[in-house]
Amino acid sequence: MTRRELIERLKTACGGLYGPGESRNIATIVAEELFGVEYPDLLRNPEGQVGIVAEELDRIANELAAGRPVQYVIGHWEFDGLDFSVNENVLIPRPETEELVRWVRDEWKVRSHEADLLDIGTGSGCIAVALAHNPGWKSVTAVDISARALDVAKANAQRNQVRIETIQCDVLQEEIPGRYDVIVSNPPYVRLSERAQMQANVLDYEPPVALFVDDDDPLLFYRTIARQGQRILREGGMIYFEINEALAPDMRTMLEWERYADIEMRRDIYDKPRMMRCRKR
């Protein structure tokens, strides 16, 4: 099989779900990651031969055609300049969350070595590991309800040569132990009524427990974390949230009601209100 034929085979597998440009991008990523076909070589010599086991190519093409996200197909993804293992037990790290990490890093880069940080709902560990990587904190603790997600987070800490502590905890039912200066969280915030607006590859493959919340109480996780924060945050401690863009006004009202100060909302790269920060009085 030639390099050109490989790309066309993978593009065809993606064609029913994605546009031509995105299909080619996915095909190129998979060809490079799983078959060693680098893009410069493809351009220089598209007719060059590639040694491929037909059964392996068929399996990967079928996964792509079924909508399995390319990040899960290749088994890893970049976040904040670091490489993270990902599978169906964790959400795929997204660029909007990188902005949340940068906000925390910018505001704590001078004091981080004296501060204890808690990441609630860590999933792949992308927030905790990225912040632990640079600059160094006094401690970084990652909490998740899922033991399998915590296994991924621990593996990613080792992969990126940082140390994090992990705690399996249902924050809706249990008290988080310890004392912290910073809490960061990207909790479930997609309302069930918003499912119809989401792509099938997200709904079919990414863990629903990390995505969805009931419409009748969409701020459930935020309010719970804010209340836990009153107990576990040190005086002047901060909480940083990634939020549902549709709920920014409600978030501010809730945080004011829970007695937080210095509430600030920020927009993401798409100009959507997606981050909020507050301080314990």
Side-chain angles (χ1 to χ4, degrees):
M1 176 176 286
T2 68
R3 292 167 178 153
R4 187 198 305 275
E5 288 170 339
L6 172 62
I7 292 293
E8 290 303 317
R9 174 80 166 88
L10 295 170
K11 279 176 58 181
T12 299
C14 299
L17 298 170
Y18 308 101
E22 190 170 2
S23 293
R24 182 171 186 83
N25 288 340
I26 292 172
T28 302
I29 290 169
V30 172
E32 182 170 344
E33 291 284 342
L34 301 184
F35 298 105
V37 177
E38 297 187 1
Y39 190 63
D41 294 332
L42 173 66
L43 293 178
R44 284 192 297 265
N45 184 14
E47 303 307 320
Q49 292 292 311
V50 183
I52 291 176
V53 177
E55 291 80 1
E56 182 183 11
L57 177 58
D58 288 342
R59 176 182 61 79
I60 292 168
N62 289 337
E63 288 181 1
L64 293 172
R68 190 180 185 210
V70 64
Q71 295 90 339
Y72 293 154
V73 172
I74 66 174
H76 67 103
W77 201 242
E78 183 179 314
F79 178 86
D80 197 49
L82 302 174
D83 192 52
F84 287 84
S85 296
V86 292
N87 58 37
E88 279 85 347
N89 295 306
V90 300
L91 295 180
I92 297 165
R94 288 170 167 80
E96 305 94 287
T97 309
E98 292 180 339
E99 298 181 77
L100 182 68
V101 166
R102 286 194 289 270
W103 191 4
V104 177
R105 181 183 293 140
D106 289 345
E107 292 200 335
W108 286 84
K109 59 186 174 184
V110 175
R111 297 178 289 163
S112 62
H113 64 284
E114 302 173 346
D116 298 297
L117 180 139
L118 176 67
D119 174 23
I120 299 178
T122 195
S124 68
C126 62
I127 292 175
V129 170
L131 286 169
H133 190 266
N134 184 23
W137 296 73
K138 184 179 178 183
S139 74
V140 174
T141 302
V143 169
D144 205 284
I145 191 174
S146 167
R148 291 182 177 180
L150 289 176
D151 286 341
V152 176
K154 286 184 279 190
N156 280 323
Q158 294 178 349
R159 186 185 188 100
N160 289 287
Q161 300 181 324
V162 300
R163 180 181 177 181
I164 64 171
E165 302 296 327
T166 59
I167 300 173
Q168 186 177 2
C169 177
D170 179 354
V171 298
L172 299 181
Q173 303 293 333
E174 303 172 76
E175 291 188 347
I176 301 171
R179 296 279 286 171
Y180 305 94
D181 301 283
V182 180
I183 295 173
V184 190
S185 185
N186 178 17
Y189 61 68
V190 180
R191 293 170 291 185
L192 288 171
S193 61
E194 296 172 317
R195 286 176 59 98
Q197 305 166 31
M198 300 176 67
Q199 294 179 330
N201 60 343
V202 174
L203 294 174
D204 293 344
Y205 291 94
E206 298 199 54
V209 69
L211 285 169
F212 295 110
V213 66
D214 288 339
D215 284 64
D216 59 357
D217 193 3
L219 300 185
L220 172 63
F221 284 92
Y222 297 104
R223 187 174 60 254
T224 301
I225 292 168
R227 291 178 179 175
Q228 292 237 23
Q230 291 290 357
R231 179 180 55 83
I232 63 177
L233 276 176
R234 297 188 177 101
E235 183 178 354
M238 309 290 291
I239 305 181
Y240 297 79
F241 286 121
E242 183 171 324
I243 68 172
N244 186 323
E245 63 188 88
L247 301 175
D250 295 332
M251 276 289 300
R252 179 179 292 274
T253 300
M254 182 274 293
L255 291 172
E256 289 172 347
W257 179 261
E258 298 296 336
R259 307 186 310 279
Y260 283 88
D262 297 337
I263 301 168
E264 180 181 348
M265 182 274 291
R266 286 193 179 181
R267 295 179 178 272
D268 66 10
I269 52 177
Y270 306 109
D271 198 34
K272 297 178 179 179
R274 289 292 297 278
M275 295 165 281
M276 192 164 284
R277 179 211 67 188
C278 59
R279 178 178 58 82
K280 180 180 176 182
R281 292 183 186 272

